[in-house]
Amino acid sequence: MSTILAKKNTREAHIQQLVNLAANYDGIDLDYEGFAFSDGQASWATTKKRWGKFITELGAALHQQNKLLSVSVPPIYA
């Protein structure tokens, strides 16, 4: 996931796919199970920045279409 989000063209393509998917609904709920912690949180520092940018851009794209965005996030147990 981090690799997809790192590159502008792949991130934008993924955003467009999600916007297209949401066209027939009120919005979309992202629930990407385990994408960030499959390596025991080792890559989260890098993924976190990319994820934040992705969510910001996806939210803006969906809101332009009057669609909702909700995000389910995995818990972090210390």
Side-chain angles (χ1 to χ4, degrees):
M1 188 64 169
S2 187
T3 302
I4 292 170
L5 302 180
K7 297 176 186 170
K8 183 178 180 182
N9 63 329
T10 55
R11 186 177 62 252
E12 288 177 348
H14 190 50
I15 288 169
Q16 190 57 55
Q17 291 170 335
L18 292 170
V19 169
N20 292 345
L21 179 64
N24 296 316
Y25 303 98
D26 293 333
I28 196 162
D29 173 50
L30 292 185
D31 187 4
Y32 293 157
E33 294 290 332
F35 82 91
F37 305 116
S38 60
D39 63 0
Q41 300 183 26
S43 65
W44 181 238
T46 300
T47 303
K48 181 179 178 180
K49 296 172 193 167
R50 296 171 181 175
W51 176 254
K53 184 172 188 140
F54 167 65
I55 293 300
T56 299
E57 292 174 357
L58 176 59
L62 286 168
H63 294 156
Q64 286 179 352
Q65 303 297 318
N66 294 315
K67 302 296 181 181
L68 300 171
L69 172 61
S70 64
V71 181
S72 299
V73 295
I76 298 175
Y77 298 103

